[in-house]
Amino acid sequence: MNTCHLFTKSLLLGLAGLLLAGCSSVPKELAYEPQADLVAYQPALTGQEGKPARWSGVIAAVHNEQTRSLIEVVYLPLKSNGVPEQTEQSPGRFLAVMQGFVDPTLYAKGRSLTVLGTLDKPVESKIGDHKYEFSVIRVTGSKLWPPIKEVEVRYMDPYFNDPFYDPFWPRRSMRHW
């Protein structure tokens, strides 16, 4: 009886652990332990060079150079699973420095991106004609998230009983009798 009870407890604890890990885990290319060591985003971050960070946001521009690519990202806070949280405000932008060529068609303006890497010294550049000091992260791992597609949701009330009501009216072609 004791071994059965012990087995049941360990099985339940194992299942609970798997469920909790599945709810808040980030993709393996963005994983870093201990997470407490990750530096939070700040505009024009100085004095943190070489420390690890995991930041996310929406791509504003891609600049390919000879041996590396600079991705300008509008910072958005991370959800627990590593996906950028879609909000209307951002504290600033950062530059994600990736080795090699990054295709601007795939890394298009408006796509969500999360990067993991080490911090570098801030860089002064411009956004249009405005001078701006960017925080910089040298990317060791990244995740380009699928584009967000808008979905139209139509609710049909089962108690609405109008014989002239047509829920597909805007999309139905007009037939002339």
Side-chain angles (χ1 to χ4, degrees), residues 3-81:
T3 55
C4 183
H5 186 53
L6 183 62
F7 177 73
T8 305
K9 271 188 176 180
S10 61
L11 183 63
L12 286 175
L13 283 174
L15 286 174
L18 283 174
L19 286 174
L20 289 174
C23 291
S24 64
S25 64
V26 296
K28 63 181 174 185
E29 58 264 45
L30 300 173
Y32 186 86
E33 288 297 330
Q35 290 192 22
D37 289 352
L38 294 171
V39 177
Y41 172 80
Q42 293 174 22
L45 186 64
T46 58
Q48 300 290 328
E49 292 85 10
K51 292 190 177 175
R54 181 172 51 220
W55 294 345
S56 66
V58 175
I59 297 172
V62 174
H63 309 284
N64 283 305
E65 296 178 349
Q66 187 66 30
T67 60
R68 65 183 187 164
S69 298
L70 303 175
I71 303 172
E72 189 178 316
V73 182
V74 178
Y75 176 80
L76 293 174
L78 282 165
K79 292 182 186 177
S80 62
N81 61 355

Side-chain angles (χ1 to χ4, degrees), residues 37 39-40 42-53 55 117-123 133-138:
D37 289 352
V39 177
Q42 293 174 22
L45 186 64
T46 58
Q48 300 290 328
E49 292 85 10
K51 292 190 177 175
W55 294 345
T118 56
L119 298 176
D120 207 349
K121 292 180 182 177
V123 171
E133 195 169 7
F134 289 91
S135 294
V136 177
I137 184 168
R138 296 202 174 273

